[in-house]
Each structure stands twice: as structure tokens, then as C-alpha cells.
Amino acid sequence: MKKTISVAPMMKRTDRHFHYLVRLLSQNTYFYTEMIHANAILRGDKSKLLNFDISDQRLVVQIGGSVPDHLSEAAKIIEDNGFKEINLNVGCPSKKVKAGNFGVFLMKDIDLLEECITSINSKISIPLSIKCRTGVDDYEGEDFLNNFVQRITRLNVNKIIIHARKAISGLDTKRNRSIPPLNYDLVCNIKNYYEDQEIIINGGFDDMEKILDIDSKVDGVMIGRKIYSNPLFLHEIEQKYFFNSTKNKLIEVMTKFMEYILQLQSNKDANRAINHLMALLKCIPFQKSHREALMTSLRDKKIDSSEVFRNLEKIPALYQ
Ligand SMILES: Cc1cc2nc3c(=O)[nH]c(=O)nc-3n(C[C@H](O)[C@H](O)[C@H](O)COP(=O)(O)O)c2cc1C
């Protein structure tokens, strides 16, 4: 089984603009879109929601919901729009998600989750994966997770991505990403029982050492916050994990991404993309005043790009 590294789905972060940036920085990582609710696909503006570059074979659309027919209809639309893989969210613990009884709450109702998966698989021929937690509330422990994985494994799910901490209802989503502590051993033990089932671990991977340490025990690692807060980590992954020495110089990445921002039509899109650029700029030694001037000109689309690029040329870090 080929091991994978992937960018985790993150609401308001892993949108099509971040996807563009990630592809400038990395040739080998998978990319999961932010969660899109099945109803949004059925009733909303599909062309906008699914406006990603589908030529990327490692792009996965994450959907959420718990009505089997809605999920399968939405999944069919995604497949018909040319996407190559779908992921079902079985890990989100937010209040809204609890009210809709989907996300991680499907771990409490495995019969319903099975119905959802079966229904989706009956309508699509592309692979379906799920992203879950190790448990939720008192549905926890190795026996619980083992039984969960055993049932899912029978259903033709190509990957199970496990965020290595259980979710606690009532805690807000942010705290649910740091409490309780991560339990990598639990996920690795489960992987031992299911040699043929692809199991990806997620949660807290913020340096190369941790990734390499766990590499032989699972089928891949999914990374969220570290990549968003430091997109240059993708370069490190290319070099030290995939042994890929062909990387775009930062000056090319910045230039291409700024050109991309400037051609965006809506301010909302441009602002989102500028936030991603900010994340990138924070990891580069860059004068604050210059950064602010750059942001203002990008926002106002009043950029005199030749001047900005001339200034960028003076920053040695961009030539690495
Ligand atoms: C801002 C933000 C938004 C997130 N949105 C989603 C989402 O839409 N779907 C999902 O499955 N997980 C979501 N997550 C959880 C991440 O995918 C990941 O499981 C979590 O951050 C732990 O991984 P990390 O420690 O590498 O960040 C989100 C996390 C963050 C920080």
C-alpha cells in the first residue's frame, strides 16, 4: 500500500484558493476540501461550491450529512463533476453538527452510518473514505473503535482517517482539537488488526520527526494546522518524506499566487486567498511595513506588480 500524506479538511481554509497554493508548494500531498453539507450541494450553487481544479488526482471532496438519500445524490453530483474521491465527515463535533445528528455523532449510530455509506456507494463508482475520531463521549476505548472499524471495513470504504482523540459533546470545536490528549497508540493498535484496510492517522503532527516515527505503523498521515500556519512545511515534506528535490522557488510561488489573487473577480474570494498568502508570508522574513503595503495593494487591486516584484527580489529567503 502506497503511503500518503494529506492536507486535512478545514472549514474556511481548505478552499479552492488554498488548493491552488498547496499545488504550487507540493506535488505529492493529497488535499481534502473543507466540509460541504450534502444539502448545500443539492440546493446551493453547485458550480461555486465545486469550483476546484479537478485535474488534480489527489483532490478529495469532504461531504457532511446524515440523510442517506441526500448524501448519495450529492455524492453522485460530485462524481459527475469529475472528482476522483469523496470523504464523509464522521468527526466534526460542533453544536450545529450535533443538532443535525451528523459528523462525529454518526459514531454513536453506526447503523445509520452504515446506511449512509451503503447509499453513497450504491450511486458512485469513485472511492469513498471516511474521517472519524477515536470515539465520542462514552463511546470510546479500543473495543469500541475496533468494532467500529470492523463494521466500516465490510462496507467498501477505501480509507479510514482517524483523528487520534475522541470528541466531547458540549466542548466547542476549538477545544475539541486539544482536549483530551491524543492517543496515537490506540490508532496504531487498531491498524495492526486490519492489514488490508488503509488507515490514516491525524492530529498534532507538527514536525517531520513525529511523521517519520509513526510512518511504519500506519498507512499515512493527515496534517491540518501545521500546514495552514506554515505552508512551507509542504516543501519539507516533499524533500524529507517523498525525497523530491524539484520544488518551485518561493519567488515563483509568491509571484504565481499573487497573479492568481489579482485575477479573482469577487472581493470575498480575493480576501480568502489573501488570508492564505498572509499565512505564507508569516513564515518568510519580510518587513512588516512591506507586508502591509502588499496586502493593501492586493485588496484594492491597485497593485503595481512590477514594483512589488522588484521589492520581493530583494528578499534572499525567496530564492531557496
Ligand atoms: C479551522 C479548522 C477547521 C476544520 N474544519 C474541518 C472540516 O471541515 N472537516 C473535518 O473533517 N475536520 C475539520 N477540522 C479538523 C482537522 O481536519 C483536523 O482533524 C484537526 O485539526 C486535527 O489535525 P491537526 O492537529 O493536524 O490540525 C478543522 C480544523 C480546523 C483547525
Side-chain angles (χ1 to χ4, degrees), residues 8-14 33-36 62 87 89-92 131 133 163 165 177 182 202-205 222-226:
M10 288 178 281
M11 292 298 277
K12 298 203 165 73
R13 295 187 183 183
T14 49
T33 71
E34 57 190 333
M35 179 180 71
I36 310 174
Q62 189 187 64
N87 176 267
N89 185 322
V90 189
C92 182
K131 176 168 177 282
R133 297 280 192 132
H163 180 175
R165 64 163 55 89
R177 289 182 210 120
L182 290 157
N202 164 245
F205 288 92
M222 173 178 265
I223 307 157
R225 288 164 291 183
K226 174 69 183 182

Side-chain angles (χ1 to χ4, degrees), residues 55 72 128 146 153 163 168 175 211-212 214 221 269 305 319:
S55 66
S72 57
L128 172 69
N146 190 5
T153 297
H163 180 175
I168 301 174
R175 283 194 295 164
I211 296 172
L212 295 174
I214 209 141
V221 177
D269 281 333
S305 40
Y319 290 85

Side-chain angles (χ1 to χ4, degrees), residues 54-107:
I54 52 162
S55 66
D56 179 5
Q57 300 286 318
R58 287 177 300 273
L59 169 65
V60 184
V61 180
Q62 189 187 64
I63 55 173
S66 58
V67 179
D69 288 349
H70 295 178
L71 282 167
S72 57
E73 265 180 67
K76 179 80 180 104
I77 291 170
I78 293 168
E79 179 176 42
D80 290 347
N81 275 268
F83 291 88
K84 304 289 181 301
E85 186 174 333
I86 294 175
N87 176 267
L88 177 64
N89 185 322
V90 189
C92 182
S94 78
K95 268 192 202 149
K96 233 175 163 176
V97 163
K98 188 175 186 194
N101 192 34
F102 63 103
V104 79
F105 302 98
L106 286 171
M107 290 189 86

Side-chain angles (χ1 to χ4, degrees), residues 251 285 290 307-319:
I251 187 77
H290 187 187
E307 190 190 325
V308 171
F309 295 142
R310 246 194 328 275
N311 281 330
L312 289 178
E313 281 165 17
K314 294 177 201 146
I315 302 170
L318 293 181
Y319 290 85

Side-chain angles (χ1 to χ4, degrees), residues 195-219:
E195 210 178 303
D196 297 332
Q197 173 66 60
E198 192 167 341
I199 293 187
I200 309 287
I201 194 164
N202 164 245
F205 288 92
D206 53 10
D207 65 41
M208 233 18 245
E209 218 178 320
K210 274 191 202 167
I211 296 172
L212 295 174
D213 271 357
I214 209 141
D215 192 50
S216 62
K217 299 178 193 148
V218 286
D219 301 310

Side-chain angles (χ1 to χ4, degrees), residues 89-296:
N89 185 322
V90 189
C92 182
S94 78
K95 268 192 202 149
K96 233 175 163 176
V97 163
K98 188 175 186 194
N101 192 34
F102 63 103
V104 79
F105 302 98
L106 286 171
M107 290 189 86
K108 290 187 179 183
D109 190 346
I110 308 180
D111 291 341
L112 176 59
L113 176 60
E114 280 186 349
E115 260 186 73
C116 293
I117 292 172
T118 308
S119 175
I120 297 171
N121 271 336
S122 72
K123 288 270 177 68
I124 60 169
S125 51
I126 55 174
L128 172 69
S129 58
I130 68 161
K131 176 168 177 282
C132 62
R133 297 280 192 132
T134 54
V136 51
D137 298 331
D138 47 358
Y139 292 68
E140 61 167 339
E142 189 160 329
D143 287 347
F144 167 75
L145 189 60
N146 190 5
N147 174 55
F148 177 84
V149 171
Q150 192 178 64
R151 289 182 65 176
I152 300 302
T153 297
R154 294 191 196 123
L155 297 174
N156 189 19
V157 164
N158 89 319
K159 280 180 203 138
I160 303 178
I161 301 153
I162 308 179
H163 180 175
R165 64 163 55 89
K166 75 165 189 171
I168 301 174
S169 21
L171 269 192
D172 63 40
T173 41
K174 194 166 177 205
R175 283 194 295 164
N176 251 309
R177 289 182 210 120
S178 58
I179 303 169
L182 290 157
N183 189 344
Y184 292 160
D185 286 347
L186 176 53
V187 178
C188 296
N189 287 347
I190 294 292
K191 170 61 206 173
N192 266 337
Y193 303 136
Y194 301 93
E195 210 178 303
D196 297 332
Q197 173 66 60
E198 192 167 341
I199 293 187
I200 309 287
I201 194 164
N202 164 245
F205 288 92
D206 53 10
D207 65 41
M208 233 18 245
E209 218 178 320
K210 274 191 202 167
I211 296 172
L212 295 174
D213 271 357
I214 209 141
D215 192 50
S216 62
K217 299 178 193 148
V218 286
D219 301 310
V221 177
M222 173 178 265
I223 307 157
R225 288 164 291 183
K226 174 69 183 182
I227 288 177
Y228 194 79
S229 64
N230 179 3
L232 293 186
F233 192 50
L234 288 163
H235 267 174
E236 198 178 333
I237 291 170
E238 285 297 317
Q239 281 167 359
K240 297 187 182 158
Y241 190 87
F242 294 111
F243 303 108
N244 173 16
S245 54
T246 59
K247 63 169 189 176
N248 284 331
K249 286 203 168 60
L250 265 179
I251 187 77
E252 290 154 12
V253 174
M254 293 271 298
T255 308
K256 284 205 172 121
F257 197 56
M258 287 196 297
E259 284 167 358
Y260 170 85
I261 293 173
L262 288 170
Q263 56 77 45
L264 290 170
Q265 298 298 317
S266 90
N267 285 344
K268 197 175 161 204
D269 281 333
N271 284 335
R272 269 198 171 205
I274 287 170
N275 285 341
H276 306 330
L277 181 66
M278 278 291 275
L280 178 63
L281 289 180
K282 279 189 188 144
C283 3
I284 302 169
F286 209 90
Q287 261 181 21
K288 200 174 165 216
S289 56
H290 187 187
R291 182 161 65 209
E292 279 161 10
L294 174 61
M295 291 307 153
T296 312

